[in-house]
Amino acid sequence: MEQYFIRGGKPLRGVVDICGAKNAALALIPAAILTDEPVIISNLPDVSDINLLLDAIAQIGATVERIDRHTARIIGATVNSYSLNYEYISKIRASYYLLGALLGRFHKAEVAMPGGCVIGARPIDQHIKGFEALGASIDLEDGQIKAQADELKGTHIYFDVVSVGATINVLLAAAMADGITIIENPAKEPHVVDLANMLNSMGARIRGAGTDVIRISGVQKLHSTEYTVIPDQIEAGTFLMAGAATRGDVTVNNVIPKHLESITAKLEDIGCEIVEYDEAVRVIADGCILKNTHVKTLPYPGFPTDMQPQMAVVLTLAEGMSTVKESIFENRFKYAGELARMGAKIKIESNTAMITGVRKLKGAQVESPDLRAGAALTIAGLAAEGCTQVSGIQFIQRGYENFEDKLRRIGADICKIDTDDEAAMDDYRQRCS
Ligand code: UD1
């Protein structure tokens, strides 16, 4: 099994090029099968979640050609199945966007029910509410969600909770519905806006994405497009946190600074200097004493839950008492025990982490419970004194392209070793003794 091996304590310094946003790409790929015509999507991150979703649409018959590592040409004309294997939903939750896409295109879809996951129960009642409002009948049988409609009709939908997934699924289903659909209380995340922009470039008529009300005037047909995925705000935020935690100086390049504001505001709060450029953001933390702060995760433009573990790691090294309140998912502090083994003073009370800053973390063997927590524990290892071994890195590879290479290029001492490789393990043990 591959693991990360880190010798910590080195400030990270340099420039990191940020990839396309995984969560945007996960919505754009299903959108591509809403038309028979070819759709080219560029700036796709080369991460396992995206590659699995491309496999999933190929499994239902779409033609998928990789033009290069970050570009795919997708042809929906060959789709010949409305039913996605359980295998995919069990590996990649976002394959449930095929429900919205297949329902929108063929008025019929069958996808296995996504279960809960390590970060929480994650119900899909709002997705179902949206599909039913558009006129679909939904049957939940044998773990399958079966959606069917004679026709989809524009309607008024009010979401009871702000849900990225439900907003995206309804956008996909409603783009070609008959008449006007109004979504109230939608998610405003950058990837929701990116999906609306791509659909509009295919001929859809969607207004208001990124605001409190989205208005979709259904069109009969969508057509081909060439579209570039927006930069990944979470990947960028993760590298900024790595710069802050190691008291370094890191610039993230190819980003939209506006999407990073809730993250950079917190870094400024704790004493880091932030410099914004047109398409880059720099965090300067060398020599600075980090101060405590209080963070609450919220839907965009609030502080993202996907940055919560990385922020918590930085706060373990900030003077005084900080709190991190998780208001989106109920089980997102699984990493706290691992951090405590590295010397962090972190206590979880209900949905809040109480963190008392320490001067140093100490290297340890830790296990990633999920994608973002895995990235956070890696940051902790980079900031810690001594050696850290991070297992469960397959979670990190779901969402970060070349994570360890990018970190190495800004000065991290990190390598990926297969623990069955005795020679590599011996070499590492020697370097760490
Ligand atoms: C998406 C992101 C994920 C991020 C999350 C919150 C993708 C592929 N994933 O996940 O990385 O952490 O947004 O920013 O983009 N809820 C319901 N009923 C529903 C749907 C959601 O109660 O039908 C609840 C969820 O349990 C959660 C909250 O709403 O408490 C937000 O979930 P949602 O925005 O739907 O998250 P995802 O789309 O699953």
Side-chain angles (χ1 to χ4, degrees):
M1 209 44 152
E2 286 184 328
Q3 299 187 359
Y4 284 150
F5 291 81
I6 302 164
R7 285 198 303 169
K10 289 185 167 186
L12 301 185
R13 288 202 178 87
V15 180
V16 183
D17 287 328
I18 296 305
C19 290
K22 169 186 82 85
N23 284 351
L26 288 173
L28 304 187
I29 291 168
I33 64 161
L34 285 173
T35 174
D36 270 348
E37 297 179 14
V39 168
I40 295 177
I41 308 179
S42 55
N43 205 28
L44 290 168
D46 184 10
V47 295
S48 60
D49 268 14
I50 297 302
N51 297 326
L52 270 167
L53 188 59
L54 288 169
D55 286 351
I57 62 164
Q59 190 256 321
I60 56 167
T63 307
V64 178
E65 290 165 27
R66 294 305 283 251
I67 295 176
D68 62 39
R69 186 174 181 197
H70 296 119
T71 311
R73 186 167 185 264
I74 298 166
I75 305 172
T78 49
V79 171
N80 54 18
S81 167
Y82 314 115
S83 169
L84 185 72
N85 280 349
Y86 170 73
E87 183 199 337
Y88 287 102
I89 199 83
S90 64
K91 287 189 192 145
I92 157 114
R93 186 182 165 82
S95 54
Y96 68 179
Y97 289 153
L98 288 173
L99 265 178
L102 289 169
L103 185 64
R105 172 87 193 276
F106 302 108
H107 295 179
K108 206 171 167 185
E110 201 175 311
V111 171
M113 183 86 177
C117 69
V118 285
I119 62 172
R122 301 180 93 169
I124 58 157
D125 54 301
Q126 300 302 306
H127 304 235
I128 291 173
K129 173 178 170 173
F131 295 149
E132 285 179 337
L134 287 164
S137 60
I138 309 289
D139 284 319
L140 303 175
E141 270 173 31
D142 306 326
Q144 294 285 109
I145 311 165
K146 296 182 180 173
Q148 188 161 2
D150 292 332
E151 63 173 338
L152 293 171
K153 272 198 164 306
T155 184
H156 198 117
I157 299 165
Y158 181 88
F159 283 133
D160 305 316
V161 293
V162 177
S163 161
V164 171
T167 306
I168 285 173
N169 246 334
V170 168
L171 278 173
L172 292 166
M176 291 190 289
D178 186 18
I180 293 173
T181 300
I182 307 278
I183 309 178
E184 290 202 63
N185 199 27
K188 295 183 253 186
E189 265 67 2
H191 40 297
V192 170
V193 179
D194 208 31
L195 172 64
N197 287 341
M198 172 161 144
L199 289 171
N200 285 341
S201 76
M202 296 168 73
R205 292 173 58 206
I206 301 168
R207 301 287 173 265
T211 74
D212 290 327
V213 182
I214 302 180
R215 181 189 165 95
I216 308 158
S217 307
V219 294
Q220 283 197 336
K221 225 172 156 231
L222 296 175
H223 54 71
S224 86
T225 191
E226 287 189 26
Y227 196 81
T228 304
V229 184
I230 51 163
D232 197 316
Q233 66 172 144
I234 305 300
E235 187 197 15
T238 301
F239 280 98
L240 291 176
M241 293 296 167
T246 60
R247 308 291 208 281
D249 181 343
V250 170
T251 300
V252 287
N253 197 23
N254 299 336
V255 299
I256 299 173
K258 174 112 195 92
H259 293 169
L260 293 168
E261 273 173 2
S262 62
I263 298 164
T264 49
K266 278 295 156 197
L267 285 171
E268 277 180 324
D269 263 10
I270 64 171
C272 299
E273 189 185 337
I274 296 289
V275 187
E276 269 188 27
Y277 306 92
D278 285 350
E279 292 184 353
V281 173
R282 177 177 176 192
V283 63
I284 306 168
D286 43 5
C288 84
I289 295 169
L290 300 178
K291 295 178 297 215
N292 70 319
T293 193
H294 304 284
V295 180
K296 181 180 178 187
T297 63
L298 287 168
Y300 190 84
F303 190 89
T305 172
D306 286 357
M307 285 300 304
Q308 180 260 98
Q310 303 89 313
M311 182 83 226
V313 165
V314 177
L315 294 178
T316 64
L317 294 162
E319 270 187 354
M321 167 85 167
S322 297
T323 57
V324 178
K325 187 169 183 175
E326 173 56 61
S327 72
I328 310 284
F329 293 115
E330 63 272 24
N331 198 6
R332 214 166 185 179
F333 289 122
K334 285 210 158 168
Y335 61 88
E338 301 299 281
L339 266 186
R341 293 200 297 104
M342 298 180 76
K345 287 198 177 149
I346 177 166
K347 207 169 75 184
I348 308 302
E349 281 180 12
S350 174
N351 64 346
T352 303
M354 327 278 275
I355 301 169
T356 308
V358 293
R359 274 196 54 250
K360 289 272 175 208
L361 293 174
K362 292 206 163 57
Q365 285 194 19
V366 292
E367 183 171 358
S368 311
D370 61 71
L371 164 61
R372 306 302 172 184
L377 290 169
T378 305
I379 295 173
L382 293 166
E385 261 175 3
C387 292
T388 293
Q389 194 172 328
V390 183
S391 59
I393 66 169
Q394 70 280 6
F395 291 117
I396 302 174
Q397 288 161 349
R398 279 185 40 211
Y400 293 90
E401 180 179 313
N402 291 349
F403 192 46
E404 67 281 5
D405 290 341
K406 287 185 174 184
L407 286 167
R408 246 193 323 267
R409 269 181 244 140
I410 54 172
D413 186 342
I414 177 171
C415 54
K416 190 167 64 183
I417 301 177
D418 185 335
T419 48
D420 291 334
D421 181 343
E422 283 301 331
M425 288 297 292
D426 278 349
D427 179 51
Y428 172 77
R429 281 186 205 107
Q430 267 184 9
R431 288 194 296 130
C432 259
S433 60

